[in-house]
Amino acid sequence: MDVSKKLRGTVRIQEAPMTDVKVMGSQESEIAPGVWQHAPGVVTTSLQTALNWGRQNSMWYLTFGLACCAIEMMATGGSRYDFDRFGMVPWPSPRQADLMIVSGTVTEKMAPRVRTLWEQMAEPRYVIAMGACATNGGPYHQGYNVVDGVDKVIPVDVYVPGCPPRPEALLYGVVQLQRKINVAGKQEPEKQKQEKVESEAVKEDV
């Protein structure tokens, strides 16, 4: 006798039908969707594209802040905005860090320390100037002890304006940096090809 029928009278427990899963023990989220199940297991690409893909999706940023912009940077790394979904990991050591986010005012005393940390970072290394102070000195522009932009100390890849910029602005700056990394090393052959075409056209005119 059915136990559920004995207890409740009319209710019967039925087992859910088994789904047709080819690989036993696999979760539904692990199976490739749709047409990708029938795609070949070989992907062709260039080495530069693979390197750029890995670099743009695994940026470890150095955890240090200089002023109030650092609060916004910490908020971006929190659960509400979630830096981790971009593959970004906060890292306390410059030896393994890929990205330096200069978040705050750079004073004349702090500038050599910023330069030292940047030099200790592994290549390739990237820098985001976050906020007005790191971009051009902000409200302390041309102050006696403030550097008018961190680009006078280290090279900067992306500038994020604001005083302070919101976490969304920093996220947008990271996306712009990812786009810049994605095209690294790809434009040079195209430029060389264009220069070759132009040089051949000049020779034909001569």
Side-chain angles (χ1 to χ4, degrees), residues 141-159:
H141 181 66
Q142 294 184 346
Y144 72 95
N145 68 329
V146 174
V147 179
D148 294 336
V150 73
D151 52 2
K152 291 180 171 58
V153 182
I154 56 177
V156 176
D157 297 285
V158 175
Y159 296 88

Side-chain angles (χ1 to χ4, degrees), residues 13 31 37 40-41 43 58 71 76 106 114 118 120 142 150 162 170 174 193:
I13 299 175
I31 303 173
Q37 293 182 2
V43 177
S58 61
I71 304 299
T76 312
V106 181
V114 173
W118 178 79
Q120 291 176 348
Q142 294 184 346
V150 73
L170 181 57
V174 170
K193 184 178 179 180

Side-chain angles (χ1 to χ4, degrees), residues 19-110:
T19 57
D20 186 14
V21 181
K22 294 182 180 180
V23 182
M24 299 301 295
S26 299
Q27 299 181 13
E28 186 176 354
S29 59
E30 294 176 331
I31 303 173
V35 69
W36 295 105
Q37 293 182 2
H38 308 287
V42 178
V43 177
T44 58
T45 184
S46 64
L47 177 61
Q48 186 65 53
T49 301
L51 289 174
N52 293 347
W53 177 81
R55 287 168 180 166
Q56 74 177 9
N57 291 292
S58 61
M59 286 188 292
W60 293 10
Y61 61 100
L62 194 59
T63 54
F64 84 109
L66 300 178
C68 48
C69 284
I71 304 299
E72 299 296 323
M73 182 183 69
M74 288 185 281
T76 312
S79 59
R80 182 179 180 89
Y81 298 97
D82 195 11
F83 249 164
D84 292 350
R85 59 197 167 115
F86 291 93
M88 300 182 64
V89 178
W91 202 254
S93 172
R95 306 292 183 181
Q96 297 88 21
D98 306 298
L99 172 63
M100 174 186 285
I101 303 175
V102 184
S103 54
T105 311
V106 181
T107 61
E108 295 288 348
K109 182 181 281 189
M110 190 64 187

